[in-house]
Amino acid sequence: MDRVQKPGRYLGGEVGAVVKDPADLTLRVALAFPDIYEIGMSHLGLKILYDMINRVPRYWAERVMAPWLDREADLKRRGQRLGSLESGLPLSDFDLVGFSLQYELSYVDVLNMLDLAGIPLRAEDRGEGGPLIVGGGSGAANPEPLADFFDFFFLGDAEAGFLDVLAEIESWKRAGGSKGELRARLAGRPGIYVPLFFEPAYGPDGRLAAVRPVRPGYDRVHRAIVPDLDEAPFPIDVVVPYTKPVHDRLAIEISRGCTRGCRFCQAGYLYRPVRERSPGRVLDLAGRSLDRTGYDDVSFLSLSAGDYTCLPRLMTAFMDAHSGRRVALSLPSLRVKSLTPEMMAQIKRVRKTGFTLAPEAGTQRLRDVINKDLTEADLLLASREAFALGWRLIKLYFMIGLPTETEEDVLAIADLAGRVRTGTRSQVNASFALFVPKPHTPFQWEPMLAPEEASRRMDGLRSRLRAPGLRPKWNRDDMSLVEGILARGDRRLGPVLLAVLKKGGRLQAWTEQFRRDFWLEGLAEAGLDPHDYTRGRDRNEVLPWSHIQAGADDEFLWAEREKAYQGLTSPDCRSGLCGGCGVCDFDEIKPRFAPPDPEPAVRVKPSSPGGPVLRFKINYLKQGLARLLGHLETAEVFHRAFRRAGLDLHMSQGFHPKPRLHFLTPLPLGLSSLDEYLVADLVGPPGPDEVAARLNGELPEGFRIVGAEGVALGRARPQAEGARYMVRAADPLFEPGGEGAWSSAEALWIEKNGKKGPRRVDLKPLLRDVSILTPRSIDITLFFGEAGSVRPQEAAAVLFGLSPETQAGLEVEKIETLLREG
């Protein structure tokens, strides 16, 4: 683990992580995310599943993420199989491995994770042994490219039946049945798709002619839908990551589903109907989770948060309850027309979070085609209000290659971005990506823009956006091309995924790792033409997902496509006009809205305990796996521990206030210590002993407070001037007799490579003392120098003539910090 760049990704043991006794279990479930830790730990669906399954005492859900390249090499070097974060159990030893399928370019990483775990990739090769491999998430809406590798898929809301599926598996396991028997028992349940029970057939032209059911009575798969979010489980004790995730905030889902009907948006059709959590429930979830996690940033999640029935009142109630604790609120999916100055004012009460608007298209004509309910006047008004309230950056999102798009539509994107910035000194980031037709949308039959034309249009737009205050950002069009192939692909793409894996394709969702040549070679080797997947489809053509009812009816989707080509918009069914999409039964499955003018029960937190600001010097140790956390990760661990402990950190002044928390010596990654110090300024705190006791109750394993003492605010903070270390070696390397040579040498130069290039540091003035304890251990004390410091391993290498390889194998522990009191 010491050899990987970010070991915090792989440690486990975070606050909120669940650990159970294997002797008490009947099922062990690995929740697998085919991307790295920072992405997986941002995904709300994973958190909901983790909490929901672990509420059952006899089930244990554990997490596993795709390793970065360095960790994969480390696993192979050690001969270890990929295992979970909680227990380290290899995936091959679980009862079930469930993959969250969110992005097509991560499909190769599904196979790589199975391979790293020693699990045969194809379902037919696994026989009766090994875990069940299950897929879910938006990718399961067209699971055909992955069909050969999975035992079954779960489509829709996991809260609506996944625990029942686990109970069926538990019963099957107890009875000792075959996998075939289990598939038969699961088939027909809401949300369950068993690929083995459907066979694709191809016509003479090589195109899909039919998807034939082979099990009587099981000819169509219907999405599972949770009727009422207030009745659905939602996590309170979420896992608090060590390594900063992409979305480093507490996510509270205020609603699910969207009825705006943007014709390109797959999520808008997959997650119908709209179901809103009641404001009282939202506030209760947020308040309790803030207490238990220590977060200071909350996101109200929804496909269209601005459509939440009583959002202004909910925001005001939330900020009244938590702004005194400096908890910020963000709304990542606001529609432009739903923004009001009052809502913006609530968001900025603590600090200005991101401000993102999504016009999607540059002209009103094209926005009507895609049914985007937004005018240029709406966009400019919202932007002006944001700038007036102090925002200095606005992000705009657009797509290239939408149906009926013209050159004028593309160039209008640059003109619109320029008008948003006109009259201000602010920054506008205009991001754009190639339109990818997705299954279960009105545009599922549309062609993708040809690669050459896509490149031409994107190059032209980039050149138009290079102006003061405008910054273009874009997704690679070749990555979007592969996404489009997989999004509407069939089972013939399974061998292509295997080919990309065998060629060395890893983490293809990452720009720096994407290999276009691997994909084109894999398609050619399988005898497949990329154009056959990106071309337009006829209305009566059999689609690979035709047997899956994941959202609206095809008749409705086709009618919406026809309206798009006529430039006609469709109303939001929230207004009371049902569009007849076919999702609702108007009994159990129907839109559910929060009351329009609620009086939510708010658990108001005091804005601050009040009282004087006192300074504390806190002594702590950092050992075990905690030594593999970097300085920034350690700082965040303590920051959130203070919040969970109810200790109010005094904040700095200025535009971005920061907690008054100072670490005397940033400890290098991998170094354990028995004697570390931080200085914290607290508002109205208890006595030193209680401060220490509260923190010890909230810190994760590997950290422990040794003591705390008050320090006068008027005095300078204590300073670390050096440290004493214990250095140990596996072999006898430290022989006595060389001390005289060290003391008589005029200089002891160490070559160091830093960010600014190589430099030399003289060890002689920094070396206070060194004692040989045994041939395998020394005690060394070093000062911190103004021109640069020296690590104990480097000092030992110079003093005892050790090679770089031997130096890398030394074990070091810091045993004392030399302090100079202020």
Side-chain angles (χ1 to χ4, degrees), residues 647-666:
L647 299 171
D648 188 24
L649 284 162
H650 185 50
M651 304 298 290
S652 65
Q653 302 300 309
F655 192 69
H656 291 293
K658 301 291 184 183
R660 297 279 191 179
L661 189 62
H662 175 73
F663 291 80
L664 268 59
T665 55

Side-chain angles (χ1 to χ4, degrees), residues 46 65 77 96 107 177 214 241 287 299 301 341 381 384 421 430 449 468 489 497 592 707 724 804:
L46 185 76
M65 318 291 174
R77 181 180 62 82
L96 181 146
Y107 289 176
V214 298
S299 175
L301 284 189
L381 178 62
R384 295 290 177 268
R421 187 183 179 274
L449 208 57
L497 294 172
R592 296 176 187 263
R724 180 175 159 223

Side-chain angles (χ1 to χ4, degrees), residues 393-394 417 421 425-429 465-471:
L393 170 65
I394 286 183
R421 187 183 179 274
R425 295 183 178 180
S426 300
Q427 175 80 28
V428 173
N429 289 352
L465 284 167
R466 298 195 184 280
L470 296 180
R471 183 182 179 189

Side-chain angles (χ1 to χ4, degrees), residues 617 664 677 679 709-711 715-721 818-822:
K617 181 179 72 175
L664 268 59
Y677 292 88
V679 175
E709 62 178 278
V711 179
R715 294 173 57 189
R717 284 193 299 248
Q719 300 292 319
E721 60 180 12
L818 308 181
L819 292 183
R820 181 175 68 252
E821 298 294 340

Side-chain angles (χ1 to χ4, degrees), residues 440-567:
H440 309 288
T441 70
F443 291 159
Q444 65 181 354
W445 294 276
E446 295 303 306
M448 274 190 77
L449 208 57
E452 300 78 10
E453 180 62 15
S455 296
R456 188 190 70 80
R457 293 188 193 184
M458 296 180 82
D459 288 345
L461 181 56
R462 278 193 291 266
S463 65
R464 289 285 292 263
L465 284 167
R466 298 195 184 280
L470 296 180
R471 183 182 179 189
K473 294 187 173 184
W474 59 92
N475 290 355
R476 284 176 53 173
D477 53 298
D478 54 354
M479 295 179 72
S480 297
L481 173 69
V482 174
E483 178 188 347
I485 291 170
L486 292 169
R488 296 192 293 176
D490 56 10
R491 295 192 190 184
R492 294 178 298 177
L493 291 177
V496 178
L497 294 172
L498 285 172
V500 174
L501 176 69
K502 291 176 181 177
K503 292 175 187 294
R506 303 288 189 276
L507 300 165
Q508 293 295 281
W510 291 77
T511 302
E512 65 269 34
Q513 301 300 329
F514 179 74
R515 291 292 301 269
R516 177 176 179 269
D517 54 331
F518 288 175
W519 291 98
L520 294 180
E521 290 168 7
L523 286 161
E525 291 165 7
L528 301 175
D529 181 357
H531 176 70
D532 197 45
Y533 292 95
T534 60
R535 62 178 176 83
R537 268 68 160 179
D538 296 331
R539 170 65 182 93
N540 296 319
E541 183 171 343
V542 176
L543 303 174
W545 56 91
S546 293
H547 53 302
I548 294 174
Q549 182 70 39
D553 294 334
D554 274 358
E555 291 76 12
F556 172 81
L557 297 176
W558 183 261
E560 282 295 302
R561 178 189 180 276
E562 294 288 281
K563 291 175 72 174
Y565 276 88
Q566 298 169 39

